[in-house]
Amino acid sequence: MHLSSLLALFFFTCLSILTTNASLDPCSGSGSSSDLSVIHIYGKCSPFDPPKPSSWVNTVLNMASTDPKRFFYLSSLVDQKPNSVPIAPGQVINIGNYVVRAKIGTPGQLMFMVLDTSNDAAWLPCSGCTGCSPTVFAPNTSSSYAPLECSVPECTQVSGVSCPTGGSGSCNFNRSYGGDSSFSATLSHDVLTLGNDAIPNYAFGCINAVSGSSIPPQGLLGLGRGSVSLLSQTGPLYSGVFSYCLPSFKSYYFSGSLKLGPLGQPKNIKTTPLLKNPRRSSLYYVNLTGVSVGRVNVVLNPELLSFNSSTGAGTIIDSGTVITRFVQPVYEAIRDEFRKQVAGPFSSLGAFDTCFSVTHEQIAPIITFHFTGLDLKLPLENSLIHSSSGTLACLAMAAAPGNVDSVLNIIASLQQQNLRILFDTANSRLGIARELCN
Ligand SMILES: *[C@@H]1O[C@H](CO)[C@@H](O)[C@H](O)[C@H]1NC(C)=O
Ligand SMILES: *[C@@H]1O[C@H](CO)[C@@H](O)[C@H](O)[C@H]1NC(C)=O
Ligand SMILES: *[C@@H]1O[C@H](CO)[C@@H](O)[C@H](O)[C@H]1NC(C)=O
Ligand SMILES: *[C@@H]1O[C@H](CO)[C@@H](O)[C@H](O)[C@H]1NC(C)=O
């Protein structure tokens, strides 16, 4: 048996034993405070009953097929005026790959909210909503719910508000979303409970109506760094720190974890500075300085990697995009070096243009992302994906979609499996450490 299969079997066995002995049902939710399960939307613990894809690679291809919409959205953010941070940005992602359990109201009502690191939005479908799926938050059964008036300061941070001049009445807003959907919502306050932490007066959009099919069914929890995000609204509770470990796409049964706050975060973790772009205040930019394929440091034009806050150029870490995208010349240089080191012939599969016989996988080079102060050596499962027949392995990255003249590189979730990613906004740094988080 191959060593990696042996190792996988070993880990799987350990996990099975753990699971049995401790009766740890991965779907029951984590009991400890500020440490929540992160569930893959296509996983066993997901309540969304997605169509069971025939194979893992089809799942990824299906999910990656909606990446371009998200890519264009993320690329378009630069046009926003500085300091105007909408609570529910329009033209947002139309997929969420990972969800967390959250409770809203008193007593708490359970919702599976999509996790999104590139978004400040918090919104939930509310009862009476036209066009929402059946699971909604019922404000009239929560003793702590309060709709917000047009006159409150929070309402001025929301764009698309329809308040009369003079500012009386509910803070209602309407937003287009994902290119083909829109929703209308009332800005509201209620208690948000994550693990054992109750956050009072959490501001979110209570959705009254949706049109289109792209709205995450049980709401969205924005983990971006803008002014109305979870980190900003919780202040000292989490001190601007959280981390996640995303489970392997293949681990249908397992969940990863979201740890909120500085307690319990890894102590010895390599970090790279987080860069702040005032024109894209939600996004987590890092300084990608180079990429190695095997021992070869690929020659890349530094201007295609460098951070520029006026053009929005640079590299972000994002949880909602599935496969990593580089601006075209960067991707092509990496791919060409990779092809040079692996025996062809090469074919395409969906978004992937470098598929080759798995019999050559042994010689596939390790890909390393170089960030300031931090090298991330991608485990093979984070750089290669297998076709459903198992005969092909593909380089699981791509160029910016649609041949757009894009300036943004996105490190996406497939490349983040089984890594703990620490977002420390208090110290402006991002940490990465290997962790088996399934
Ligand atoms: C709450 O609102 C929903 C929908 O409007 C309604 O069906 C339900 O009866 C209400 N419940 C209470 C306790 O008022
Ligand atoms: C939002 O506003 C637009 C334009 O007025 C309207 O067409 C759309 O139906 C509204 N969306 C919802 C969900 O109310
Ligand atoms: C990114 O790294 C490069 C190479 O080390 C350096 O020249 C540049 O100043 C860094 N950019 C930022 C914004 O830190
Ligand atoms: C950012 O891009 C603009 C427009 O291309 C350019 O004029 C400016 O010099 C760049 N800034 C930096 C710091 O590279």
Side-chain angles (χ1 to χ4, degrees):
M1 205 185 287
H2 197 269
L3 179 63
S4 66
S5 334
L6 270 174
L7 276 175
L9 184 67
F10 171 75
F11 282 123
F12 182 79
T13 311
C14 291
L15 283 167
S16 309
I17 291 168
L18 260 176
T19 308
T20 322
N21 284 0
S23 306
L24 233 167
D25 175 4
C27 300
S28 72
S30 166
S32 78
S33 130
S34 312
D35 190 351
L36 297 113
S37 298
V38 174
I39 303 157
H40 197 276
I41 197 143
Y42 285 118
K44 179 177 178 283
C45 305
S46 166
F48 296 120
D49 194 27
K52 288 288 173 280
S54 49
S55 77
W56 175 60
V57 71
N58 290 341
T59 310
V60 174
L61 288 174
N62 286 343
M63 295 193 317
S65 68
T66 55
D67 272 358
K69 272 188 188 166
R70 183 176 177 88
F71 186 93
F72 293 130
Y73 163 66
L74 294 174
S75 298
S76 74
L77 287 180
V78 74
D79 297 330
Q80 280 179 6
K81 285 193 221 83
N83 302 325
S84 103
V85 183
I87 194 164
Q91 307 299 323
V92 203
I93 46 98
N94 67 335
I95 47 154
N97 306 322
Y98 297 96
V99 291
V100 292
R101 283 180 197 78
K103 284 185 177 160
I104 186 87
T106 311
Q109 300 174 34
L110 179 66
M111 301 294 278
F112 286 79
M113 297 174 82
V114 159
L115 192 84
D116 189 349
T117 53
S118 295
N119 215 307
D120 293 347
W123 34 261
L124 290 160
C126 287
S127 46
C129 171
T130 312
C132 288
S133 49
T135 305
V136 292
F137 167 59
N140 62 356
T141 63
S142 169
S143 60
S144 45
Y145 175 81
L148 295 178
E149 297 288 310
C150 283
S151 53
V152 303
E154 283 106 321
C155 192
T156 62
Q157 292 180 320
V158 182
S159 62
V161 167
S162 54
C163 278
T165 345
S168 62
S170 299
C171 181
N172 291 324
F173 61 97
N174 174 323
R175 199 57 59 82
S176 67
Y177 176 82
D180 60 355
S181 299
S182 70
F183 66 86
S184 66
T186 304
L187 190 65
S188 304
H189 266 174
D190 207 335
V191 180
L192 173 69
T193 305
L194 296 168
N196 294 336
D197 298 334
I199 304 151
N201 299 323
Y202 198 75
F204 65 98
C206 193
I207 299 179
N208 313 310
V210 306
S211 65
S213 56
S214 304
I215 311 290
Q218 297 189 22
L220 184 132
L221 186 64
L223 290 175
R225 61 201 305 207
S227 67
V228 287
S229 68
L230 178 70
L231 289 185
S232 308
Q233 289 200 45
T234 52
L237 177 61
Y238 299 134
S239 308
V241 176
F242 73 92
S243 73
Y244 61 64
C245 190
L246 302 179
S248 162
F249 279 46
K250 282 186 272 196
S251 65
Y252 177 70
Y253 288 99
F254 297 115
S255 53
S257 78
L258 172 68
K259 287 184 183 170
L260 297 161
L263 284 181
Q265 301 294 359
K267 296 277 176 302
N268 296 313
I269 188 167
K270 288 250 165 63
T271 65
T272 187
L274 275 175
L275 307 175
K276 205 160 198 170
N277 182 344
R279 304 185 72 188
R280 294 185 177 186
S281 56
S282 335
L283 303 183
Y284 292 104
Y285 276 90
V286 288
N287 195 12
L288 180 70
T289 58
V291 174
S292 293
V293 175
R295 295 216 177 94
V296 177
N297 198 338
V298 180
V299 178
L300 301 169
N301 179 351
E303 277 177 23
L304 296 175
L305 297 180
S306 66
F307 175 74
N308 183 325
S309 61
S310 57
T311 62
T315 304
I316 62 164
I317 302 266
D318 179 43
S319 65
T321 312
V322 179
I323 59 170
T324 291
R325 304 271 181 171
F326 292 107
V327 299
Q328 191 143 355
V330 170
Y331 173 70
E332 284 171 359
I334 295 167
R335 176 200 65 192
D336 292 348
E337 181 56 41
F338 185 88
R339 285 185 179 178
K340 219 189 271 179
Q341 296 181 35
V342 183
F346 298 103
S347 56
S348 293
L349 184 65
F352 310 121
D353 69 1
T354 300
C355 301
F356 52 95
S357 168
V358 281
T359 54
H360 300 149
E361 197 180 66
Q362 313 275 15
I363 54 169
I366 299 286
I367 294 181
T368 307
F369 294 160
H370 304 287
F371 302 102
T372 302
L374 165 69
D375 286 342
L376 171 60
K377 229 180 226 193
L378 292 181
L380 268 194
E381 80 158 344
N382 293 15
S383 60
L384 296 180
I385 184 167
H386 289 164
S387 65
S388 49
S389 61
T391 55
L392 293 177
C394 305
L395 177 62
M397 298 172 199
N403 296 319
V404 283
D405 198 11
S406 166
V407 293
L408 192 64
N409 301 297
I410 301 178
I411 310 288
S413 58
L414 197 141
Q415 276 64 44
Q416 298 175 39
Q417 302 171 83
N418 285 314
L419 297 173
R420 181 151 299 273
I421 315 277
L422 173 73
F423 297 82
D424 179 353
T425 64
N427 298 300
S428 277
R429 56 191 194 133
L430 177 125
I432 305 181
R434 288 295 295 273
E435 182 178 322
L436 189 74
C437 56
N438 291 333

